Amino acid sequence: MTQTKFVDNIKNVYKKYQDFVGKFVYTDFYLALVCIFTYIGWATKCAPLGITIAVAIACIALLAIDDILPLTVNLFSAALLVYSFNFDDYTYMWPLAIPLGLCFLFFLIKNGRHEFNFGKMFFPLMAIAYAMLIGGAGTLIKQDFLRALPDFVILGIGVPVVYMLFNHYLKRDSKRDIPLYFAKSLMYIGLVISFELITVIARSGEPVHNWHNVIWDVGWGNRNPIATYLIFTSCMTMYLSTRFRQGWIYLALGIFQYACIVLTFSRGGIIFGMISGVIALALTFIKAPNKKLHFFYIMLVLVGMLIIYLALMKDINAMFGSLIDRGMGSSGRIGLYKEAWALFKAHPFLGVGKGYMGSNVKPSAIGIYFFHSTFFQIIACMGLVGVVAYVYFYAVRLKILFKNIKNSFNLFCLALFVGFEGYSMMDTGTFIAYPCMALVIVITLILERVQTDFSGYVTPYNYSTPWGDKIVQKENELLQKLRGKKQVKSN
């Protein structure tokens, strides 16, 4: 065999590999595969199993795809592999970063040869980064600044990097149903989160009436981060109920995730999750292609919920009794808000900086003192400079959201943001770079990029499966036969 033929054979093999993987990553099978192994790796507490498979799947995809969208599920499910805060459980796996990094570099070089643009959210993100960087200038001592430096790198620089990567490598094609695939990715992630939470509860052995005394911890987060993440995933799952003929499945899965928010016993998460959920449920009916059928689906799911309640009445009543026992106290937040206001009055222009350490709560795992409110965190740590930066950030975001607010995806994102931003007014969501703000900024980019109102039923899924064309052909043939029969009857 000559060298030329050998090279041609290699090219042909790679092209077949690229064609198959390039189609496979847009299927439910790929999304489910990533999430199933994520849950298995977490449940078995086996880092070599979970991380190795996750890296292997990501590398296989990176070598074939020409679009960053399929990596959404890999990026935002990776956190769910973390089953403990003991970094020694994972650090010995660092050699896997080498093949992953090389494959990612290959993806960047292969697919980055087109004109670069910053996108509409880049400069608002830079404004926030600048406000974070100079926050507390003249007040913070060197040690405080260095303590906050990792947070600045992750939130102030990392989130804009995620935005630029998705902006540059998200394939530009107005005909692609990007919202559908993105929502499917989050739905599967939401199911992993829900099963992890249920697994922790089942393993605890705690009686239902004592659940209000237990802080469920899945490793990567406790009840508050779990509730925050589920607000994202449940809204996107409800959106899917308007896109498929089998809408009742997605209604049920969405309500299941909202129910898991209740299981977290995160009071703010429950309140704003339910507000978001009611809005999303109403939108499923408003945007349903067949409102009569969708109303039937809603009734079907409600009947199913009633049957489950009657079967588990004692335990469910005990759970709500335990939730009531937990009460609606402020958990020290009032003291934090007073502290933040006093700091703002003392340092109104630049605040005291992200490295400030107060005495009302323990610092987070990354050494940041959280005031558990977007507003109070901004005024205390960044002062008026931070207020201006965030007003700019929210103004651009909301302009992007409301530009095509009648579009189905925009409306469900509105429901999502109501839940997330509302809850963040009493928690830390907007100052958690990953997954929260990275998700927010990717959603905003999709809203910025997608102008078409992708609504109505879609079959097959995203029209991108290896066998999609054949299914479309069969469905069209069936529709033609049905139309033919109707015409014969009418004649």
Side-chain angles (χ1 to χ4, degrees):
M1 182 182 295
T2 64
Q3 185 176 357
T4 304
K5 286 185 178 180
F6 177 76
V7 172
D8 288 341
N9 287 337
I10 294 295
K11 287 181 178 179
N12 290 334
V13 170
Y14 176 70
K15 188 179 184 306
K16 290 180 181 179
Y17 162 79
Q18 192 175 25
D19 288 342
F20 178 78
V21 175
K23 291 178 180 178
F24 180 70
V25 292
Y26 290 103
T27 68
D28 284 63
F29 298 106
Y30 175 74
L31 298 174
L33 185 71
V34 172
C35 289
I36 287 170
F37 281 112
T38 297
Y39 175 77
I40 291 173
W42 174 88
T44 59
K45 296 185 177 182
C46 181
L49 172 67
I51 296 176
T52 302
I53 294 177
V55 169
I57 293 174
C59 288
I60 291 170
L62 284 166
L63 293 174
I65 60 177
D66 58 358
D67 175 24
I68 201 170
L69 184 62
L71 297 179
T72 302
V73 68
N74 306 82
L75 175 62
F76 290 107
S77 67
L80 309 185
L81 284 165
V82 178
Y83 52 83
S84 79
F85 278 117
N86 183 4
F87 290 107
D88 291 338
D89 290 338
Y90 317 102
T91 51
Y92 68 94
M93 301 293 297
W94 70 264
L96 288 175
I98 298 173
L100 181 62
L102 290 174
C103 290
F104 188 60
L105 184 62
F106 176 82
F107 169 82
L108 296 180
I109 295 172
K110 181 171 72 77
N111 303 302
R113 299 170 185 173
H114 57 272
E115 185 179 350
F116 177 83
N117 72 82
F118 286 106
K120 294 178 180 178
M121 290 303 300
F122 177 76
F123 291 107
L125 288 170
M126 287 297 98
I128 289 176
Y130 179 72
M132 288 178 59
L133 185 64
I134 67 171
T139 303
L140 279 179
I141 60 175
K142 180 181 178 182
Q143 289 85 344
D144 292 333
F145 177 79
L146 293 176
R147 183 192 306 115
L149 194 57
D151 180 68
F152 168 74
V153 171
I154 298 170
L155 182 60
I157 298 177
V159 172
V161 167
V162 170
Y163 175 75
M164 287 190 292
L165 282 172
F166 270 81
N167 185 38
H168 191 63
Y169 290 96
L170 184 64
K171 189 188 290 184
R172 296 178 181 275
D173 183 354
S174 59
K175 296 181 180 180
R176 286 203 315 147
D177 199 340
I178 293 173
L180 184 73
Y181 185 87
F182 179 79
K184 266 289 181 84
S185 300
L186 286 199
M187 182 200 74
Y188 281 104
I189 290 171
L191 293 178
V192 175
I193 297 169
S194 301
F195 288 130
E196 287 186 355
L197 174 63
I198 292 170
T199 301
V200 166
I201 294 172
R203 286 175 174 175
S204 71
E206 290 286 344
V208 180
H209 62 79
N210 194 46
W211 284 1
H212 67 287
N213 289 321
V214 184
I215 299 178
W216 309 123
D217 194 331
V218 294
W220 53 267
N222 58 28
R223 58 188 170 211
N224 293 338
I226 297 170
T228 302
Y229 213 157
L230 286 173
I231 289 174
F232 284 94
T233 64
S234 51
C235 267
M236 290 293 96
T237 306
M238 297 295 266
Y239 163 71
L240 290 171
S241 72
T242 68
R243 303 300 312 279
F244 291 91
R245 288 188 177 90
Q246 301 78 19
W248 67 271
I249 297 174
Y250 300 98
L251 276 172
L253 291 176
I255 291 172
F256 168 67
Q257 291 175 51
Y258 281 115
C260 286
I261 294 178
V262 177
L263 286 178
T264 65
F265 276 63
S266 169
R267 293 164 299 181
I270 293 170
I271 292 170
F272 288 100
M274 291 304 104
I275 293 172
S276 176
V278 169
I279 296 171
L281 184 62
L283 289 174
T284 64
F285 182 75
I286 293 170
K287 285 296 181 178
N290 186 329
K291 288 182 171 52
K292 290 182 180 179
L293 182 61
H294 197 80
F295 180 76
F296 171 74
Y297 286 158
I298 292 175
M299 292 299 102
L300 184 67
V301 172
L302 290 177
V303 169
M305 291 172 62
L306 178 62
I307 293 171
I308 293 172
Y309 171 74
L310 293 175
L312 303 172
M313 185 186 299
K314 184 178 178 180
D315 287 336
I316 293 175
N317 288 344
M319 184 190 72
F320 281 107
S322 182
L323 185 59
I324 292 170
D325 288 340
R326 186 155 189 254
M328 292 301 294
S330 67
S331 297
R333 282 175 169 80
I334 300 301
L336 285 170
Y337 300 160
K338 289 180 178 178
E339 181 184 4
W341 185 250
L343 291 170
F344 174 65
K345 289 194 294 183
H347 308 278
F349 188 61
L350 294 176
V352 293
K354 293 292 291 291
Y356 167 82
M357 283 290 115
S359 57
N360 279 309
V361 294
K362 292 181 180 179
S364 68
I366 58 174
I368 298 299
Y369 188 81
F370 285 121
F371 289 95
H372 286 265
S373 168
T374 300
F375 174 73
F376 287 107
Q377 193 83 34
I378 293 169
I379 64 170
C381 295
M382 289 167 271
L384 290 173
V385 171
V387 171
V388 172
Y390 272 90
V391 167
Y392 178 33
F393 171 76
Y394 279 106
V396 176
R397 260 183 66 197
L398 291 175
K399 184 179 179 181
I400 292 170
L401 173 67
F402 282 97
K403 182 181 178 181
N404 298 301
I405 194 58
K406 292 183 180 180
N407 290 1
S408 293
F409 186 69
N410 292 55
L411 284 169
F412 280 92
C413 287
L414 175 62
L416 187 161
F417 288 147
V418 166
F420 171 71
E421 298 291 350
Y423 183 32
S424 293
M425 282 297 174
M426 55 189 298
D427 202 62
T428 61
T430 46
F431 289 91
I432 302 297
Y434 174 77
C436 296
M437 289 311 296
L439 258 178
V440 166
I441 211 65
V442 170
I443 290 171
T444 306
L445 174 65
I446 294 173
L447 291 169
E448 175 186 341
R449 184 73 65 81
V450 178
Q451 302 299 313
T452 305
D453 184 12
F454 290 101
S455 58
Y457 297 139
V458 288
T459 48
Y461 172 53
N462 216 31
Y463 297 100
S464 300
T465 65
W467 46 88
D469 293 339
K470 292 182 180 179
I471 297 178
V472 172
Q473 183 181 353
K474 291 291 183 183
E475 287 198 342
N476 288 336
E477 290 175 358
L478 180 61
L479 286 172
Q480 288 176 0
K481 287 181 181 179
L482 290 173
R483 287 168 185 162
K485 288 181 180 179
K486 285 183 181 180
Q487 288 177 355
V488 171
K489 287 183 179 180
S490 63
N491 292 334

